[in-house]
Amino acid sequence: MKKTKGKKKLLLIIPLIILLVLAISFIGWIVKPAKKMNIAVLDTTVPATDGQGVNQTDRYYRKHSGFFWLLNQQKYVKSNGKKYNYKKDYFGPQINENGEYTGENQIADFDKVPDFLYLADVYGSELYDNKYSGLSSKDMNIVSLTYSTGGTVVAETELLGSTTDETVCNEIKSMFGFTTTSWSGRYVVDLNDFSDVPKWAPSTYENQYGVKWQFSGPGLILASSEGGIIVLEEKTDFKSKNLVSISISDEFKKEFSGSKKSNFYNWFELVEAENGTDTIANFKINVNATGMEKIKEISSTNKFAAIIRKRSNSGDTYYFAGDFNDCTSDGRIYRFLAADKFFKALSFDKEGDINQFYWKFYNPLMKKILKDTYKGLDEKNEKQSENEKQLTVRVNENKFQIKKNDDYENLNLKAVNVNLDEPGSANATRNYGYYKELLEQAVEMGVNTVRVYELAPPEFYRALFEINQNSDDKLYLIQTIKGMVADTQEEWQKTIDTIMSSIHGNGETKNDSTDEGQEDILKYRHDVSEYLLSYVLDISPSGEELQTLSNQGETMEIMFHQWKE
């Protein structure tokens, strides 16, 4: 009898314990403090398709929804306290419930400097003929601003698409610290299943090798942007089902202990990490000698960088050389403690299923990166506040003085004028690389001040900002404000306001360029006022007025000095 009573008590206690644990978990999540962080996500592959151009009505947002699940589960919220909504709070093509295009939110229009910027997918949707694919120069302005002000920038594969300008491609490779081999690949469960095999693969293979596509069973398709293709087939080129795996590098296993080795069934790139970067994780293609012989034209090794981190005085960048944030299980409940660990424990490897990678590797990886970014916000904001309070430039006894070590020193001007017209360009160029190289050469020559005779494109001020962020030897600015004698007071005020607000990183002006593909409005996001020595008013008289002034021997140039509040 006593044993029977004991069993009954145990049967009652166990459900009560389970209910208590569940109650604590749900209530604990509710009372857990929210974490405010400015997060921007760019996803131009909306609505997502199945890879054959077929619209997936239940997974329109699959290229970023998994990330938003993590944001909500970890209680990251917007500055107004509201949660992030994966259907609204991203930049890229906007759609309605039927997947129909309703407009576009451009990341250049983000009204805050992101603390965390995620370039989730810029491949573009096949439904729009990839109209929104690639990154533009104006996109790079907000990317670089995030990075140079201490934020974290994370990007995924296909950043260097065919639609991305070469100048932007070079910026991307420099910022993230990688070079591409032009090759990418994907695991295919059945090479004879043409609903899964990319539609271009059979014809490309037949054209290259002159034989029919007769593959079947599991395999790997490697393709080059230059038209090459390699197919690896089970039994011939590899034996194991674990053909492509991803794992954290040994030296970073302690830092990213939550991410476990996982099979990878999605698209990946073959890239190489540059010097000065951290290879956080690697892909490994587990081929035999026959398979290795096939891929030797690509590389002498079967291991490739999967996650590359670049750290600098500005901020951190992470490049994921694969389609990481591709989640098909975003509808799962998240409002309880350790929900991510719960679903991770339930996940298992199923050939071709990308969900296990999400729970076992991607989710804990991004959780750690977000946590590190959030921990650094106080230091970042404190640094920005100190910079805002400091008066770094002043005029004393008709000399410019620069504040150094709590004291002011005279600045011996070594100045040059800047030509905004790149050779071969009819207008002031939008080429950031041109301005960066020009200003770097000026610094190498010992120049400490540059003068521009008009409001330059945003890329010029971005280059000036970034050079000064990464150098102890500052490059200062003299900005000309041009106008006509005949201009009204209202016109003058508008010109002055536009230039001053642009120098302070919150200006807009009409784009007069006739170059094809240029936006109508130029937006200035980089605050270079810290490096401004003075404004110069350049008032141009009409021909008749010029003759009168010449007779009187007058000049119409007035110098205004900046005093920072």
Side-chain angles (χ1 to χ4, degrees), residues 18-33 75 333-338:
I18 294 173
L19 288 173
L20 179 62
V21 170
L22 289 174
I24 292 173
S25 182
F26 281 94
I27 295 172
W29 185 90
I30 292 172
V31 300
K32 182 181 178 180
K75 299 195 77 170
I333 186 172
Y334 60 81
R335 293 181 174 89
F336 63 97
L337 296 176

Side-chain angles (χ1 to χ4, degrees), residues 23 214 384 447:
Q214 296 180 334
Q384 290 178 347
V447 171

Side-chain angles (χ1 to χ4, degrees), residues 518-536:
Q518 294 271 359
E519 64 268 32
D520 295 331
I521 301 296
L522 297 180
K523 298 189 176 184
Y524 294 80
R525 308 301 294 267
H526 290 79
D527 184 356
V528 295
S529 59
E530 180 182 353
Y531 315 111
L532 180 68
L533 291 183
S534 72
Y535 292 109
V536 174

Side-chain angles (χ1 to χ4, degrees), residues 103-150:
E104 180 189 9
N105 285 344
Q106 296 188 1
I107 198 166
D109 295 333
F110 193 40
D111 58 357
K112 300 178 180 66
V113 179
D115 301 311
F116 188 99
L117 175 58
Y118 191 16
L119 306 177
D121 202 305
V122 297
Y123 182 77
S125 176
E126 295 177 4
L127 300 181
Y128 306 132
D129 296 322
N130 302 106
K131 175 183 176 183
Y132 302 101
S133 64
L135 282 177
S136 67
S137 58
K138 62 178 180 179
D139 294 332
M140 279 305 299
N141 283 336
I142 195 71
V143 174
S144 70
L145 182 62
T146 304
Y147 173 66
S148 57
T149 54

Side-chain angles (χ1 to χ4, degrees), residues 421-432:
D421 298 336
E422 185 179 12
S425 175
N427 305 293
T429 182
R430 299 291 305 280
N431 186 347
Y432 161 81

